Amino acid sequence: MAGSEQKEKIIRFYKGTEGAETAVKLVDLAEQVKRSQKFRLSGFLDPYGQEIAETVAANYPGIRVDFHGGYHGAERQRAMFIDEAFGGNPDFNIVVIKASWNGQFEHIGHRDVLGALMGQGIERDRIGDIIMGAATARILADEQMGTYLLDNLTQIGHSGVSCVLDDLSNIAPKEERCKEIRATVASLRVDSIAASGYGTSRSHAAADIAADKLRLNWQPVKNAAQAVKEGDVLSMRGRGRVEVVEIKGQTKKGRTVVVLKRYI
């Protein structure tokens, strides 16, 4: 398939979805790699963006994609498209800035830190994970943005903060807790699977869908009746992810047996 056809095929697939803008950026990076036979680096991507990057790489023979977010288990990661003939070992150019404040007088949360960054006009893809600690926040960023934060991030909310360049090795790998759930459901509707995975009722799950809280494969769920299949991933901010591991068949009463994994 010609390059222009590959490009149009991918952009058309994501057109009208939450990932449309990301798809255009990533396809452009892949096209640049194809021409230069070297590598190109994306901004920080959420899991859905990473899925798009994998789709893009799969449509460009001779190009592979690697991911890194600064530490093991990072949710937001940069994608690197690399020509397989390229012999170099390029760097992901990720740094971590440690912001500190007086915890006796102010409680600062993840949302406050992100709000302070966005309030400075920083684009979201310049920032990776934000790891909260005791009166500290470790902010993953690209190298250029890290330098900017050292000079300009002086306040979060009403609190003054001081920033230093930290070492990536100081970030502990993220350990995901996981529990297996075996359930029987009336159908493979997304509200039914979400109810089993998150331990709630179908009506509650439907309300979460109506409130745009639930994602299926990192895309908004438009309809509670949407079907799920093996390998699908449900996610809800603050409540973790649920993976549909196996669909085992039906019981004598006509209910479907499913095996789910919930990551917290």
Side-chain angles (χ1 to χ4, degrees):
M1 186 183 293
S4 60
E5 292 178 7
Q6 288 170 317
K7 181 175 181 177
E8 291 306 316
K9 173 189 170 186
I10 297 168
I11 291 173
R12 188 166 57 249
F13 179 78
Y14 288 103
K15 187 176 181 180
T17 72
E18 198 175 77
E21 185 178 340
T22 298
V24 170
K25 290 180 180 179
L26 295 177
V27 166
D28 283 343
L29 292 178
E31 290 280 336
Q32 291 173 38
V33 171
K34 186 178 174 184
R35 290 193 295 269
S36 70
Q37 296 186 316
K38 293 183 179 179
F39 71 95
R40 289 293 184 273
L41 193 57
S42 78
F44 287 92
L45 304 168
D46 63 15
Y48 180 36
Q50 293 161 39
E51 184 180 284
I52 296 172
E54 290 180 333
T55 299
V56 171
N59 280 273
Y60 281 84
I63 293 177
R64 76 174 194 271
V65 62
D66 294 337
F67 299 97
H68 190 48
Y71 68 103
H72 180 73
E75 179 174 303
R76 295 178 61 79
Q77 301 190 43
R78 303 188 80 176
M80 184 184 290
F81 292 101
I82 308 171
D83 190 295
E84 291 179 346
F86 180 64
N89 187 25
D91 192 271
F92 280 87
N93 295 329
I94 299 173
V95 298
V96 57
I97 304 301
K98 182 179 178 181
S100 305
W101 56 89
N102 189 330
Q104 289 182 316
F105 302 109
E106 188 84 23
H107 173 72
I108 293 176
H110 184 283
R111 183 177 296 180
D112 302 307
V113 178
L114 184 58
L117 298 173
M118 300 299 100
Q120 293 201 27
I122 297 170
E123 294 182 7
R124 188 66 181 96
D125 67 356
R126 304 292 300 276
I127 301 294
D129 285 1
I130 299 171
I131 305 165
M132 303 304 298
T136 63
R138 284 187 169 90
I139 304 166
L140 282 295
D142 64 54
E143 287 185 352
Q144 187 178 12
M145 181 52 61
T147 301
Y148 174 86
L149 294 177
L150 287 173
D151 294 335
N152 294 280
L153 184 60
T154 58
Q155 187 167 334
I156 298 175
H158 299 295
S159 295
V161 300
S162 59
C163 291
V164 296
L165 181 65
D166 202 358
D167 197 313
L168 290 170
S169 64
N170 290 334
I171 304 176
K174 185 183 289 183
E175 294 184 13
E176 286 191 308
R177 289 181 294 151
C178 167
K179 75 173 182 177
E180 186 173 277
I181 300 167
R182 291 176 177 266
T184 61
V185 293
S187 73
L188 294 174
R189 286 168 51 120
V190 67
D191 58 347
S192 185
I193 297 296
S196 295
Y198 292 110
T200 187
S201 66
R202 274 183 65 176
S203 60
H204 195 159
D208 286 333
I209 291 168
D212 198 29
K213 292 182 179 179
L214 189 69
R215 296 287 186 270
L216 177 60
N217 298 326
W218 297 283
Q219 297 189 63
V221 177
K222 304 294 187 183
N223 189 330
Q226 191 171 336
V228 301
K229 60 185 184 303
E230 281 188 10
D232 281 352
V233 177
L234 281 68
S235 56
M236 192 183 303
R237 184 176 292 278
R239 301 198 63 188
R241 293 180 286 116
V242 172
E243 180 183 351
V244 183
V245 177
E246 190 176 359
I247 299 171
K248 296 179 78 69
Q250 291 193 330
T251 67
K252 291 180 180 179
K253 294 185 178 180
R255 294 176 65 84
T256 302
V257 180
V258 295
V259 180
L260 311 174
K261 277 188 179 178
R262 182 174 175 188
Y263 298 87
I264 305 169

